[in-house]
Amino acid sequence: MPFTVGGGIRGIEDVRELLNAGADKVSINTSAIENPSLITKSSRRFGAQCIVVAIDAKREGKIWRVYSHGGRYATRLDAVSWAKAAQKLGAGEILLTSMDADGTQEGFDLELTKKVSSAVSIPVIASGGAGKLGDFVDVFKKTQAARH
């Protein structure tokens, strides 16, 4: 099972240190938003399969706004557009967390997961909201979320 590490990653040297320490993948959120070239540089140096862009999203009207700093700060980014951009920049996976569903145990945000997973060709890992086994069945049957 791949071991993914995230949090506090500021630059390519942090990525290198974590991979050298045994991580299989590195997840970046705030640093990717603040410095999108980190995605490209890391992907080119270590391979896209190592680079996971984490997206924390909260619904605002008809879009899902991307948040940074552990979900504390709203950005101007739309989650679907940002996922597409992250893929183009070299991300190998998207870790998608619905801030609206997270902690509710009422199921994944299927609409958000469907929109993001159908907009990109890289794996999208659904996060936030699962409360029962049927929630996983739903997200796999009703979206293109990663099944591995």
Side-chain angles (χ1 to χ4, degrees), residues 107-108 131-140:
F108 293 99
K132 60 188 179 307
L133 186 57
D135 295 332
F136 292 95
V137 173
D138 284 346
V139 78
F140 293 143

Side-chain angles (χ1 to χ4, degrees), residues 44-64:
R44 285 183 181 158
R45 184 162 172 189
F46 306 111
Q49 78 285 349
C50 295
I51 308 305
V52 179
V53 172
I55 298 176
D56 295 338
K58 186 175 185 178
R59 187 170 200 137
E60 289 185 12
K62 294 183 179 186
I63 68 158
W64 285 267

